[in-house]
Amino acid sequence: MDLAARLTQVDAGIEAAARAAGRDPGRITRIVVTKFHPVSLVEELYALGVRDVGENRQQELSEKTAAVGSLEGLRWHFIGQAQTNKAKAIRAAASVVHSVDRIKIADALDAAAAPDSPALDVLLQVNLTHDPGRGGVVPDELERLAEHVSGCRTLRLRGVMAVAPLDEAPAAAFARLADCSDRVRAVAPEASWISAGMTADYPDAIAAGATHLRIGSAITGPRPAHR
């Protein structure tokens, strides 16, 4: 299938999963992850109506945003692990950062705001595994991080994000993320976004209440070799 056909197929799958869960498909945002693909793919996606694009690496995010300029309505989502020394570059390029998992990175993103910067939408990445080396805040620290981010002058706390562990059924993991979302909303009632679900597990994420899906190869096709 070509790009347009793959996009249509995934959107049909999202609609079917949403209807099965008793949800409105129009309230679910599909983010196309273009990791390692050329900027020309972003332009093709834009021509097909895609307005939400995701990147994992700061350098690639910065390169692509510079190359496409300001395509009207295009929103860039940074979904990779954020580092404090790259906070300024991430802030300059991203519309949304999905991977705030510690106070230090929240403070770095807040401090990186230019005087006329709009508020930056951020999500708290939750570690759903038992591996402390994985990205994400441990659930026990979630409320503390939510309270801190809510107090950052130029950040707007939107919700939570997570990746389902490989050794667990996605439905169970996403149910725990939904619980984390409830806990964050007890701190910040407007933080209702749940970023969860990728190519292999987005129907489970939709069933658990995901509002934002991060889908790559099912739409873009196989990734090119690592640059």
Side-chain angles (χ1 to χ4, degrees):
M1 289 188 290
D2 63 12
L3 181 64
R6 292 193 298 268
L7 182 65
T8 298
Q9 183 180 64
V10 168
D11 283 349
I14 292 170
E15 181 171 2
R19 299 291 184 202
R23 299 183 58 200
D24 177 2
R27 299 181 68 85
I28 297 172
T29 299
R30 177 252 298 125
I31 301 163
V32 182
V33 181
T34 58
K35 180 179 180 181
F36 300 147
H37 286 278
V39 70
S40 58
L41 182 73
V42 177
E43 294 169 332
E44 289 180 59
L45 288 165
Y46 185 84
L48 292 169
V50 171
R51 294 296 181 268
D52 291 272
V53 176
E55 285 296 336
N56 292 71
R57 301 187 307 159
Q58 173 271 314
Q59 184 178 353
E60 194 168 0
L61 172 72
S62 297
E63 289 173 356
K64 286 180 179 175
T65 54
V68 299
S70 54
L71 289 174
E72 185 177 358
L74 185 62
R75 290 175 293 273
W76 289 92
H77 298 252
F78 183 74
I79 60 178
Q81 285 304 115
Q83 299 174 24
T84 55
N85 65 338
K86 297 182 178 180
K88 185 174 182 179
I90 293 170
R91 178 88 196 230
S95 305
V96 187
V97 175
H98 290 234
S99 50
V100 173
D101 61 0
R102 57 201 187 281
I103 287 173
K104 231 173 154 178
I105 190 63
D107 287 346
L109 289 168
D110 192 26
D116 57 346
S117 289
L120 176 67
D121 290 334
V122 301
L123 295 97
L124 307 184
Q125 183 176 355
V126 182
N127 184 355
L128 296 177
T129 76
H130 297 294
D131 178 1
R134 293 291 297 271
V137 61
V138 295
D140 286 349
E141 295 290 328
L142 188 57
E143 283 89 351
R144 178 170 173 259
L145 181 59
E147 288 168 1
H148 185 87
V149 172
S150 294
C152 290
R153 185 179 58 83
T154 71
L155 304 184
R156 181 163 48 205
L157 179 56
R158 286 295 200 176
V160 294
M161 179 273 250
V163 178
L166 295 175
D167 59 352
E168 180 181 4
F174 293 144
R176 296 206 312 281
L177 183 62
D179 177 67
C180 290
S181 173
D182 290 342
R183 290 164 54 192
V184 168
R185 284 190 288 113
V187 175
E190 70 285 357
S192 59
W193 295 4
I194 301 176
S195 172
M198 299 187 289
T199 291
D201 56 22
Y202 72 81
D204 290 308
I206 290 172
T211 61
H212 291 66
L213 312 173
R214 311 179 305 273
I215 300 178
S217 59
I219 295 172
T220 64
R223 287 174 180 162
H226 190 294
R227 291 190 292 142

